Amino acid sequence: MRMRNSSKSYGAVAIALHWIVVLVVLGAWFTGRLGDALPRDSHELGLFFHISFGLALFSIALARFGWRIADPPPAPEPSKFGGKVGSKLGTWAGRASELVHLTIYALMFAIPVFGIMTQLARGYPLPVFGLLDIPSPWTGDRAFTHDMKELHELLANLLMVLIVLHAGAALVHHYVLHDRTLLRMVPGAQS
């Protein structure tokens, strides 16, 4: 498999970054959702993993965005909507796809930033993968912490909704439209 994208399919780097982001987003979301359900003695460890997933997401999303700029994605797969290629639904769907992708990228950066703000607003240091702690510039502020946490959670849930829409659209392309949109991002399915 080639490393870079071609005009018709994704390369190994884009595919690997895509699926790594999927795993990290799921890890961050699930550790965030399960954090409050953990026993008190495990809560700090759960928060450490959640923060680590969030920092990893920010870093990997930055790499993915940089790679997307350096190695633009292939053109959209031609799809038939109602028997015609390029119908109005196709134009609308293409624009919706672009908007969803851009919003997903924006959220992959914004969510970790608001998560970091939440941790620092508590007055707690930010643990960076267990290697160092970045001290908070603030003493704990409950109202600010609450606002940051609410925004962080709202955006994280919005990201999950968009990911479900994104995955659903890929499945529609595969099973209804019978094009290669989904297969272009599956490792080893390139032809």
Side-chain angles (χ1 to χ4, degrees):
M1 176 183 268
R2 75 192 169 290
M3 299 300 282
R4 298 181 67 88
N5 299 334
S6 72
S7 62
K8 295 192 182 261
S9 62
Y10 290 96
V13 174
I15 291 171
L17 288 171
H18 176 271
W19 292 107
I20 290 168
V21 165
V22 168
L23 294 174
V24 171
V25 165
L26 291 174
W29 192 76
F30 280 115
T31 56
R33 298 293 296 168
L34 298 175
D36 293 335
L38 292 173
R40 194 146 183 78
D41 57 339
S42 301
H43 185 73
E44 275 189 50
L45 183 61
L47 183 59
F48 170 79
F49 279 112
H50 179 66
I51 290 171
S52 295
F53 275 121
L55 293 173
L57 173 61
F58 188 86
S59 302
I60 296 165
L62 190 60
R64 185 168 182 216
F65 187 68
W67 185 258
R68 186 178 177 101
I69 291 170
D71 188 25
E77 183 75 11
S79 298
K80 292 183 181 179
F81 293 95
K84 295 191 275 184
V85 175
S87 67
K88 288 187 180 189
L89 180 59
T91 302
W92 177 87
R95 288 186 182 138
S97 173
E98 288 175 26
L99 180 61
V100 167
H101 278 96
L102 288 173
T103 306
I104 287 173
Y105 271 108
L107 290 172
M108 288 190 302
F109 292 113
I111 293 165
V113 167
F114 284 110
I116 290 167
M117 295 293 291
T118 300
Q119 178 72 0
L120 297 177
R122 290 180 175 127
Y124 298 162
L126 178 70
V128 181
F129 305 114
L131 301 173
L132 65 111
D133 287 343
I134 298 173
S136 175
W138 305 298
T139 57
D141 181 333
R142 292 178 80 104
F144 184 49
T145 299
H146 178 267
D147 292 345
M148 291 297 100
K149 185 177 183 204
E150 289 293 313
L151 192 51
H152 176 69
E153 290 176 359
L154 174 71
L155 294 177
N157 290 331
L158 175 60
L159 177 61
M160 294 308 292
V161 168
L162 291 176
I163 287 170
V164 168
L165 288 173
H166 174 71
L171 293 172
V172 166
H173 274 278
H174 188 73
Y175 291 106
V176 176
L177 302 175
H178 305 290
D179 63 32
R180 293 193 41 82
T181 298
L182 175 64
L183 293 176
R184 293 190 318 171
M185 193 51 78
V186 174
Q190 303 293 316
S191 62

